[in-house]
Amino acid sequence: MILIDGKQTAADIREEIKGEVSELVKQGKRPPHLVAVLVGNDPASMTYVNSKERLAKKIGFDSTVLRLDETISEADLLKTVDELNRDESVDGYIVQLPLPAHIDEQKIIMAIDPDKDVDGFHPVNLGKMLVQLPGFLPATPYGIMELIKRYNIETSGKNVLIVGRSLIVGRPLSILMSQKREGGNATVTVAHSRTKNIKELTLKADIIITALGKAHFLTADMVKEGVVVIDAGINSIDAPDTKRGYRLVGDADFENISKKASFMTPVPGGVGPMTIAMLLKNTLQAYKLVES
Ligand code: GUN
C-alpha cells in the first residue's frame, strides 16, 4: 500500500508558492494578500482560520483575519464583503463557514466578487468549472485532484465512487473527475444518504472518495483488493486515554482498509492539509489576475 501523504504534498506546494512569492518580492512587487472573515467563535472554524493565517504568512503572503461578533447582522456582513470587494490591497478572501443561523450563507457567497472568491464557492466559479473555463476550484476537490496527479493515480475509465454530495466536496469533485482532464475521464457514481445497497457500489469501485463526515463509515469488507481510498472526512471521536480527550478519524477504517488498498490517505495528514495549500494557490492565482 502506498500512503498518500497529504501533509508532505501540501508542504511541497507551499514551498513552490513561497519560491514564487519571494521572486515577486525580489522584483519589487507586493506579496499576495489573503483575508479570512471569521464570524463568531466556533472552535473548529477558529482552528481552521488560525491555520490559514499562519500558513499564509509562512509563505510570505500578507494575511489578515477579520474577527466579527456572532451577533453581526446580515446587512453588516454584506457591507464587510462589499468593502473587501473594493479594497485593492486584497487579492482574495474567504468567509469561513458555517455562519450563524440568522445569516443566509448563500446570500453572502453571492455577494463575493468572483475574482476574489478563492474558496471557489461563488456560482460563477462553479459555472466556470462546469464548462472548463479558468476560475477558482473549491480547495478540497482541487486538493484531491492534485493528490491524484502527484501520485500518478490512473483515473481514466475507472469506476469512481464519491460518497457525499456536499457543495464543498462531493458535488464539485464528481464534476471534475468525470471531465476530460488530468485526473478525470472516470465513470463517476455519487452516493448519498438516500442511496440503497451502498456496499454493492463500494465493492465495484476502483477509487472511493469519502466525504460524508461519519467516523469509520467505510469498512474493509466493503472494498475490493487494490482499491484507492481518498478520505475527506474529519470526525472527532471520544478518546479518554488521550490528553485532549478526543481523536480525529476519517470516514474510512484506515487500519483495516489499508491492508487491502493500493493507495490510501490517512486522517489526519491526508486531504486536510491539501485544502489550505490549494486555498493559498488560488490566492496566488487571484493576485496574478491583477498584478500581471
Ligand atoms: N468550512 C469548512 N471548510 C471550509 C472551507 O474550505 N472554506 C470556508 N470558507 N469555510 C469552510
Side-chain angles (χ1 to χ4, degrees):
M1 203 261 320
I2 294 172
L3 186 78
I4 302 175
D5 188 344
K7 196 173 167 189
Q8 183 59 50
T9 308
D12 294 345
I13 292 167
R14 291 197 306 271
E15 275 308 307
E16 292 161 17
I17 303 171
K18 188 178 173 182
E20 270 199 62
V21 172
S22 107
E23 270 310 305
L24 291 164
V25 171
K26 242 185 253 163
Q27 292 164 16
K29 293 190 174 143
R30 67 176 180 87
H33 183 196
L34 170 66
V35 174
V37 179
L38 174 64
V39 181
N41 33 33
D42 175 70
S45 291
M46 281 161 69
T47 306
Y48 290 139
V49 166
N50 288 341
S51 299
K52 288 170 187 178
E53 182 185 29
R54 182 175 58 82
L55 293 171
K57 284 187 172 157
K58 211 172 141 188
I59 60 169
F61 282 14
D62 284 336
S63 176
T64 309
V65 178
L66 294 180
R67 292 183 170 84
L68 306 173
D69 197 86
E70 65 185 346
T71 59
I72 189 171
S73 68
E74 187 178 274
D76 282 346
L77 184 56
L78 283 169
K79 220 182 278 171
T80 301
V81 164
D82 187 50
E83 282 162 16
L84 289 166
N85 287 343
R86 291 163 196 265
D87 187 340
E88 287 183 4
S89 79
V90 175
D91 296 295
Y93 68 97
I94 64 144
V95 178
Q96 187 67 29
L97 305 178
L99 290 170
H102 67 277
I103 297 173
D104 181 345
E105 276 181 3
Q106 207 52 48
K107 207 161 160 184
I108 302 299
I109 290 170
M110 290 288 280
I112 297 174
D113 177 348
D115 286 343
K116 293 190 175 187
D117 167 41
V118 285
D119 255 334
F121 292 168
H122 192 287
V124 164
N125 284 314
L126 293 169
K128 284 181 173 174
M129 175 184 74
L130 197 68
V131 293
Q132 293 186 265
L133 281 171
F136 299 112
L137 297 181
T140 303
Y142 191 9
I144 292 171
M145 295 301 282
E146 198 65 23
L147 287 175
I148 288 171
K149 181 169 127 188
R150 293 192 185 220
Y151 277 84
N152 294 312
I153 294 168
E154 182 59 78
T155 54
S156 182
K158 300 291 182 188
N159 286 329
V160 171
L161 178 68
I162 297 172
V163 189
R165 57 180 163 184
S166 75
L167 211 47
I168 292 184
V169 189
R171 225 174 316 166
L173 190 64
S174 70
I175 292 164
L176 292 168
M177 294 196 75
S178 63
Q179 281 174 335
K180 197 177 278 184
R181 61 154 76 221
E182 202 173 6
N185 294 307
T187 304
V188 178
T189 304
V190 182
H192 46 76
S193 53
R194 304 289 176 96
T195 298
K196 292 184 175 125
N197 302 326
I198 187 138
K199 194 171 171 181
E200 276 175 27
L201 298 174
T202 57
L203 280 170
K204 278 197 198 120
D206 303 306
I207 301 171
I208 302 175
I209 293 144
T210 54
L212 77 163
K214 232 186 205 177
H216 292 173
F217 162 83
L218 189 73
T219 49
D221 59 303
M222 293 169 76
V223 306
K224 68 178 179 187
E225 203 66 44
V227 68
V228 175
V229 176
I230 297 177
D231 189 344
I234 303 177
N235 311 292
S236 173
I237 59 165
D238 287 342
D241 52 320
T242 65
K243 206 156 70 177
R244 293 188 298 188
Y246 68 91
R247 201 157 57 85
L248 295 178
V249 298
D251 293 340
D253 174 4
F254 182 87
E255 195 188 332
N256 293 305
I257 295 176
S258 59
K259 292 172 191 151
K260 286 174 99 172
S262 56
F263 291 85
M264 188 163 181
T265 58
V267 176
V271 173
M274 290 298 288
T275 299
I276 298 183
M278 302 326 275
L279 171 71
L280 300 172
K281 206 168 162 81
N282 277 345
T283 306
L284 180 60
Q285 188 184 320
Y287 169 94
K288 288 177 181 169
L289 280 177
V290 288
E291 281 298 322
S292 55

